[in-house]
Amino acid sequence: MTRFPLGRPARIAVLASGRGSNLEALLRSFPPGDELGEIRLVLSNRASAPALAKARAAGVDAVHVPYPDRATFEDRALALLDGADIDLVCLAGFMRILSPGFVRHFRGRVLNVHPSLLPAFRGLHAQRQAIEAGVRESGCTVHLVDEGVDTGRILVQRRVEVLPDDDEESLAQRIRVQEHEAFPEAVRLVLAGRIDATGTEVEA
Ligand code: GRF
């Protein structure tokens, strides 16, 4: 079983379906030579995802893995991840739900960023859900991925105000700024061995 800290830079993979701004934040935070981790592989279920182009521009291996169905995608993705000896998987705007088998394979080693203060507003359109609920505050959560949807152990949360004239996009943009800080922070917590595989915080 993989236990952090590894005593060497962890090999990090990022799965992304779209824009890739969180990927960019992770690339900035884990440049080549970082003691804790390096981004070694980026996978996307969408061939046209800007995230793939951003990874390649940064000199990181980036592969389109087609998603005709979950099993086909995961077989290929797992082969690529294991082939690259990946220690930690970051879901950065990856818009598909992973199977329990995939989660078990990487137990305690898959992180996701979600645009709400979990456990509020799980699932799709979290920003729209927040606006429709009339809450005054929302934010982002980075959590360990378990077999549920947006249910795993919470690692880092950042709050933002919901403004009276916010629409889904303006709120999403404000939340995204916080995600770019929260995600690398959570990755460092895990890689430094501050969170064990069950998601329990380790005494300092
Ligand atoms: C983020 O808002 C994240 O919370 C959600 O998908 C979005 C991805 O944005 N899961 P980007 O592709 O990282 O720019």
Side-chain angles (χ1 to χ4, degrees), residues 65-201:
V65 180
Y67 197 110
D69 56 75
R70 185 161 74 179
T72 306
F73 172 85
E74 288 190 354
D75 280 355
R76 176 96 180 103
L78 279 174
L80 289 164
L81 294 167
D82 285 343
D85 291 325
I86 293 301
D87 302 301
L88 186 85
V89 177
C90 294
L91 308 183
F94 180 65
M95 303 307 286
R96 293 283 186 270
I97 295 174
L98 296 170
S99 71
F102 187 105
V103 171
R104 277 195 294 274
H105 186 88
F106 281 103
R107 167 80 62 206
R109 298 189 291 141
V110 185
L111 273 62
N112 181 47
V113 60
H114 182 77
S116 77
L117 294 174
L118 291 173
F121 313 129
R122 294 188 169 118
L124 290 175
H125 306 297
Q127 302 93 336
R128 190 191 304 168
Q129 293 184 55
I131 289 171
E132 287 175 359
V135 294
R136 304 292 300 276
E137 191 178 66
S138 190
C140 66
T141 303
V142 185
H143 63 95
L144 287 178
V145 173
D146 64 10
E147 284 86 347
V149 177
D150 302 325
T151 52
R153 154 85 195 218
I154 291 171
L155 301 175
V156 175
Q157 291 188 305
R158 295 280 183 111
R159 295 169 185 280
V160 308
E161 199 180 347
V162 181
L163 302 176
D165 58 352
D166 261 335
D167 59 19
E168 208 177 331
E169 188 44 38
S170 63
L171 179 58
Q173 273 181 30
R174 200 170 323 109
I175 291 174
R176 217 176 286 129
V177 172
Q178 298 303 318
E179 293 180 352
H180 298 164
E181 305 269 322
F183 210 164
E185 184 185 331
V187 171
R188 285 193 185 278
L189 270 181
V190 172
L191 295 184
R194 306 259 312 270
I195 307 288
D196 74 16
T198 66
T200 306
E201 198 150 349

